[in-house]
Amino acid sequence: MNPKVDSVHPAKQKLVAYRVAEFMQAFGVGRTKVYNLVNSGQLQILKSGRVTLIPMSSVETWMKACEAEARAKHSSVPGKKRA
């Protein structure tokens, strides 16, 4: 008799890392851009055999840096009034 396995619906599982192709699709960037971000230190990767993973913590850090950069650009545009 097989023991009952508690399965969680995949949509309800918390994503902990992206594969490179998943990251590319989620953020609309190409493979070259992903590896440029990795090589510049903006994204961290983990390798497990042939699988390359981008941890969610690294994605969140990168997104915060992008937001900060966008805010800095927006606030430094001449003639723009801040609300």
Side-chain angles (χ1 to χ4, degrees):
M1 189 174 216
N2 291 335
K4 184 175 179 181
V5 177
D6 287 335
S7 61
V8 177
H9 190 276
K12 294 181 183 180
Q13 291 179 345
K14 184 176 178 183
L15 184 64
V16 296
Y18 284 101
R19 289 178 181 243
V20 172
E22 294 169 337
F23 182 88
M24 291 166 46
Q25 184 174 3
F27 293 96
V29 297
R31 185 172 304 277
T32 301
K33 177 66 173 179
V34 173
Y35 285 103
N36 285 342
L37 290 169
V38 170
N39 291 333
S40 69
Q42 296 178 62
L43 275 180
Q44 305 299 314
I45 59 171
L46 302 172
K47 293 285 288 182
S48 178
R50 293 175 54 186
V51 177
T52 301
L53 298 172
I54 305 168
M56 186 55 73
S57 59
S58 180
V59 174
E60 290 168 351
T61 300
W62 172 71
M63 289 176 58
K64 287 177 186 174
C66 289
E67 290 171 357
E69 184 179 329
R71 279 194 299 275
K73 283 183 182 179
H74 179 70
S75 65
S76 66
V77 174
K80 288 268 186 179
K81 292 183 180 180
R82 294 180 70 177

